[in-house]
Amino acid sequence: IEIIVKAAEKLLPTVDKKALNFTDMDKIPSDKLEYVEKAVALNLINGYSDGSFKPNDPISRAEAGIIISKLLSSIQNNLK
């Protein structure tokens, strides 16, 4: 998530952080929390249907693909 947010910050207008409501947000490392907040604000991620984020679980290729696709769509829409 960190690298995707850093790319977004270079290519998209400034984005504010968004407050998180994940049921397991206490498990998100404090040094990564800012990136998760920004990724949520950019609508790149939204967690799981049970309200969790699962920060210690690896993401699947499909999930990574969705995040990258959302980032590319945001960049493309910003260029219009």
Side-chain angles (χ1 to χ4, degrees):
I1 294 300
E2 180 178 349
I3 198 164
I4 295 292
V5 170
K6 285 183 178 184
E9 288 176 330
K10 300 276 187 209
L11 299 167
L12 296 170
T14 304
V15 63
D16 293 326
K17 296 181 282 186
K18 186 172 183 180
L20 302 178
N21 294 322
F22 297 123
T23 57
D24 57 353
M25 61 185 283
D26 60 319
K27 295 178 183 168
I28 301 171
S30 60
D31 62 323
K32 304 299 181 200
L33 191 59
E34 175 183 1
Y35 298 107
V36 176
E37 290 169 335
K38 287 182 178 181
V40 170
L42 288 165
N43 199 31
L44 299 177
I45 59 172
N46 53 18
Y48 294 91
S49 59
D50 65 356
S52 67
F53 180 66
K54 301 180 184 178
N56 297 318
D57 290 1
I59 69 170
S60 68
R61 286 187 205 173
E63 290 169 327
I66 290 168
I67 293 168
I68 292 167
S69 176
K70 287 181 175 183
L71 174 61
L72 293 175
S73 292
S74 293
I75 293 167
Q76 185 177 31
N77 290 337
N78 190 52
L79 294 175
K80 290 181 181 180

PDB file of all heavy atoms in Angstrom, residues 26-41:
ATOM      1  N   ASP A  26      -6.238  -1.626  15.128  1.00  0.00           N
ATOM      2  CA  ASP A  26      -5.178  -1.629  16.134  1.00  0.00           C
ATOM      3  C   ASP A  26      -4.011  -2.524  15.717  1.00  0.00           C
ATOM      4  O   ASP A  26      -2.917  -2.428  16.270  1.00  0.00           O
ATOM      5  CB  ASP A  26      -5.727  -2.082  17.488  1.00  0.00           C
ATOM      6  CG  ASP A  26      -6.318  -3.478  17.456  1.00  0.00           C
ATOM      7  OD1 ASP A  26      -7.010  -3.819  16.465  1.00  0.00           O
ATOM      8  OD2 ASP A  26      -6.103  -4.227  18.413  1.00  0.00           O
ATOM      9  N   LYS A  27      -4.212  -3.351  14.705  1.00  0.00           N
ATOM     10  CA  LYS A  27      -3.159  -4.235  14.206  1.00  0.00           C
ATOM     11  C   LYS A  27      -2.363  -3.603  13.056  1.00  0.00           C
ATOM     12  O   LYS A  27      -1.371  -4.169  12.606  1.00  0.00           O
ATOM     13  CB  LYS A  27      -3.757  -5.564  13.755  1.00  0.00           C
ATOM     14  CG  LYS A  27      -4.367  -6.347  14.899  1.00  0.00           C
ATOM     15  CD  LYS A  27      -4.982  -7.629  14.424  1.00  0.00           C
ATOM     16  CE  LYS A  27      -5.640  -8.345  15.610  1.00  0.00           C
ATOM     17  NZ  LYS A  27      -6.491  -9.433  15.177  1.00  0.00           N
ATOM     18  N   ILE A  28      -2.800  -2.436  12.580  1.00  0.00           N
ATOM     19  CA  ILE A  28      -2.079  -1.742  11.519  1.00  0.00           C
ATOM     20  C   ILE A  28      -0.865  -1.062  12.152  1.00  0.00           C
ATOM     21  O   ILE A  28      -1.023  -0.281  13.093  1.00  0.00           O
ATOM     22  CB  ILE A  28      -2.972  -0.699  10.815  1.00  0.00           C
ATOM     23  CG1 ILE A  28      -4.201  -1.368  10.205  1.00  0.00           C
ATOM     24  CG2 ILE A  28      -2.183   0.059   9.747  1.00  0.00           C
ATOM     25  CD1 ILE A  28      -5.253  -0.410   9.680  1.00  0.00           C
ATOM     26  N   PRO A  29       0.342  -1.360  11.667  1.00  0.00           N
ATOM     27  CA  PRO A  29       1.530  -0.729  12.248  1.00  0.00           C
ATOM     28  C   PRO A  29       1.424   0.799  12.195  1.00  0.00           C
ATOM     29  O   PRO A  29       0.987   1.357  11.183  1.00  0.00           O
ATOM     30  CB  PRO A  29       2.683  -1.237  11.376  1.00  0.00           C
ATOM     31  CG  PRO A  29       2.168  -2.499  10.762  1.00  0.00           C
ATOM     32  CD  PRO A  29       0.688  -2.281  10.594  1.00  0.00           C
ATOM     33  N   SER A  30       1.814   1.455  13.258  1.00  0.00           N
ATOM     34  CA  SER A  30       1.654   2.911  13.345  1.00  0.00           C
ATOM     35  C   SER A  30       2.394   3.651  12.238  1.00  0.00           C
ATOM     36  O   SER A  30       1.924   4.685  11.773  1.00  0.00           O
ATOM     37  CB  SER A  30       2.102   3.421  14.714  1.00  0.00           C
ATOM     38  OG  SER A  30       3.456   3.096  14.935  1.00  0.00           O
ATOM     39  N   ASP A  31       3.524   3.114  11.766  1.00  0.00           N
ATOM     40  CA  ASP A  31       4.267   3.790  10.704  1.00  0.00           C
ATOM     41  C   ASP A  31       3.627   3.586   9.321  1.00  0.00           C
ATOM     42  O   ASP A  31       4.024   4.233   8.357  1.00  0.00           O
ATOM     43  CB  ASP A  31       5.727   3.351  10.686  1.00  0.00           C
ATOM     44  CG  ASP A  31       5.906   1.875  10.400  1.00  0.00           C
ATOM     45  OD1 ASP A  31       5.086   1.062  10.872  1.00  0.00           O
ATOM     46  OD2 ASP A  31       6.880   1.529   9.707  1.00  0.00           O
ATOM     47  N   LYS A  32       2.638   2.729   9.234  1.00  0.00           N
ATOM     48  CA  LYS A  32       1.935   2.490   7.960  1.00  0.00           C
ATOM     49  C   LYS A  32       0.516   3.056   7.963  1.00  0.00           C
ATOM     50  O   LYS A  32      -0.141   3.106   6.931  1.00  0.00           O
ATOM     51  CB  LYS A  32       1.866   0.995   7.652  1.00  0.00           C
ATOM     52  CG  LYS A  32       3.201   0.300   7.626  1.00  0.00           C
ATOM     53  CD  LYS A  32       4.112   0.864   6.584  1.00  0.00           C
ATOM     54  CE  LYS A  32       5.438   0.114   6.569  1.00  0.00           C
ATOM     55  NZ  LYS A  32       6.499   0.850   5.940  1.00  0.00           N
ATOM     56  N   LEU A  33       0.060   3.500   9.101  1.00  0.00           N
ATOM     57  CA  LEU A  33      -1.320   3.972   9.246  1.00  0.00           C
ATOM     58  C   LEU A  33      -1.641   5.111   8.286  1.00  0.00           C
ATOM     59  O   LEU A  33      -2.698   5.131   7.664  1.00  0.00           O
ATOM     60  CB  LEU A  33      -1.571   4.397  10.692  1.00  0.00           C
ATOM     61  CG  LEU A  33      -3.003   4.676  11.090  1.00  0.00           C
ATOM     62  CD1 LEU A  33      -3.885   3.454  10.863  1.00  0.00           C
ATOM     63  CD2 LEU A  33      -3.067   5.096  12.548  1.00  0.00           C
ATOM     64  N   GLU A  34      -0.734   6.040   8.126  1.00  0.00           N
ATOM     65  CA  GLU A  34      -0.953   7.181   7.228  1.00  0.00           C
ATOM     66  C   GLU A  34      -1.208   6.715   5.795  1.00  0.00           C
ATOM     67  O   GLU A  34      -2.069   7.245   5.101  1.00  0.00           O
ATOM     68  CB  GLU A  34       0.258   8.107   7.267  1.00  0.00           C
ATOM     69  CG  GLU A  34       0.178   9.254   6.281  1.00  0.00           C
ATOM     70  CD  GLU A  34       1.420  10.129   6.289  1.00  0.00           C
ATOM     71  OE1 GLU A  34       2.378   9.848   7.044  1.00  0.00           O
ATOM     72  OE2 GLU A  34       1.421  11.099   5.528  1.00  0.00           O
ATOM     73  N   TYR A  35      -0.475   5.704   5.349  1.00  0.00           N
ATOM     74  CA  TYR A  35      -0.646   5.199   3.986  1.00  0.00           C
ATOM     75  C   TYR A  35      -1.996   4.502   3.816  1.00  0.00           C
ATOM     76  O   TYR A  35      -2.646   4.641   2.776  1.00  0.00           O
ATOM     77  CB  TYR A  35       0.499   4.263   3.609  1.00  0.00           C
ATOM     78  CG  TYR A  35       1.835   4.961   3.628  1.00  0.00           C
ATOM     79  CD1 TYR A  35       2.751   4.710   4.637  1.00  0.00           C
ATOM     80  CD2 TYR A  35       2.154   5.895   2.656  1.00  0.00           C
ATOM     81  CE1 TYR A  35       3.971   5.369   4.664  1.00  0.00           C
ATOM     82  CE2 TYR A  35       3.367   6.563   2.672  1.00  0.00           C
ATOM     83  CZ  TYR A  35       4.269   6.294   3.679  1.00  0.00           C
ATOM     84  OH  TYR A  35       5.472   6.954   3.709  1.00  0.00           O
ATOM     85  N   VAL A  36      -2.412   3.783   4.819  1.00  0.00           N
ATOM     86  CA  VAL A  36      -3.718   3.134   4.768  1.00  0.00           C
ATOM     87  C   VAL A  36      -4.812   4.195   4.734  1.00  0.00           C
ATOM     88  O   VAL A  36      -5.757   4.103   3.941  1.00  0.00           O
ATOM     89  CB  VAL A  36      -3.904   2.159   5.953  1.00  0.00           C
ATOM     90  CG1 VAL A  36      -5.304   1.563   5.944  1.00  0.00           C
ATOM     91  CG2 VAL A  36      -2.863   1.049   5.907  1.00  0.00           C
ATOM     92  N   GLU A  37      -4.688   5.224   5.562  1.00  0.00           N
ATOM     93  CA  GLU A  37      -5.690   6.308   5.582  1.00  0.00           C
ATOM     94  C   GLU A  37      -5.790   6.991   4.216  1.00  0.00           C
ATOM     95  O   GLU A  37      -6.887   7.263   3.728  1.00  0.00           O
ATOM     96  CB  GLU A  37      -5.320   7.339   6.647  1.00  0.00           C
ATOM     97  CG  GLU A  37      -5.471   6.843   8.060  1.00  0.00           C
ATOM     98  CD  GLU A  37      -4.857   7.765   9.095  1.00  0.00           C
ATOM     99  OE1 GLU A  37      -3.923   8.526   8.778  1.00  0.00           O
ATOM    100  OE2 GLU A  37      -5.326   7.724  10.244  1.00  0.00           O
ATOM    101  N   LYS A  38      -4.652   7.242   3.591  1.00  0.00           N
ATOM    102  CA  LYS A  38      -4.653   7.888   2.277  1.00  0.00           C
ATOM    103  C   LYS A  38      -5.193   6.961   1.195  1.00  0.00           C
ATOM    104  O   LYS A  38      -5.916   7.402   0.303  1.00  0.00           O
ATOM    105  CB  LYS A  38      -3.258   8.376   1.920  1.00  0.00           C
ATOM    106  CG  LYS A  38      -2.846   9.592   2.727  1.00  0.00           C
ATOM    107  CD  LYS A  38      -1.480  10.099   2.328  1.00  0.00           C
ATOM    108  CE  LYS A  38      -1.107  11.333   3.120  1.00  0.00           C
ATOM    109  NZ  LYS A  38       0.210  11.862   2.724  1.00  0.00           N
ATOM    110  N   ALA A  39      -4.851   5.674   1.272  1.00  0.00           N
ATOM    111  CA  ALA A  39      -5.355   4.720   0.287  1.00  0.00           C
ATOM    112  C   ALA A  39      -6.871   4.595   0.381  1.00  0.00           C
ATOM    113  O   ALA A  39      -7.556   4.491  -0.637  1.00  0.00           O
ATOM    114  CB  ALA A  39      -4.693   3.355   0.472  1.00  0.00           C
ATOM    115  N   VAL A  40      -7.406   4.659   1.589  1.00  0.00           N
ATOM    116  CA  VAL A  40      -8.862   4.633   1.766  1.00  0.00           C
ATOM    117  C   VAL A  40      -9.467   5.925   1.207  1.00  0.00           C
ATOM    118  O   VAL A  40     -10.477   5.898   0.493  1.00  0.00           O
ATOM    119  CB  VAL A  40      -9.239   4.434   3.255  1.00  0.00           C
ATOM    120  CG1 VAL A  40     -10.727   4.657   3.483  1.00  0.00           C
ATOM    121  CG2 VAL A  40      -8.844   3.027   3.712  1.00  0.00           C
ATOM    122  N   ALA A  41      -8.838   7.057   1.494  1.00  0.00           N
ATOM    123  CA  ALA A  41      -9.342   8.334   0.989  1.00  0.00           C
ATOM    124  C   ALA A  41      -9.335   8.381  -0.535  1.00  0.00           C
ATOM    125  O   ALA A  41     -10.219   8.981  -1.146  1.00  0.00           O
ATOM    126  CB  ALA A  41      -8.515   9.487   1.561  1.00  0.00           C
TER     127      ALA A  41
END
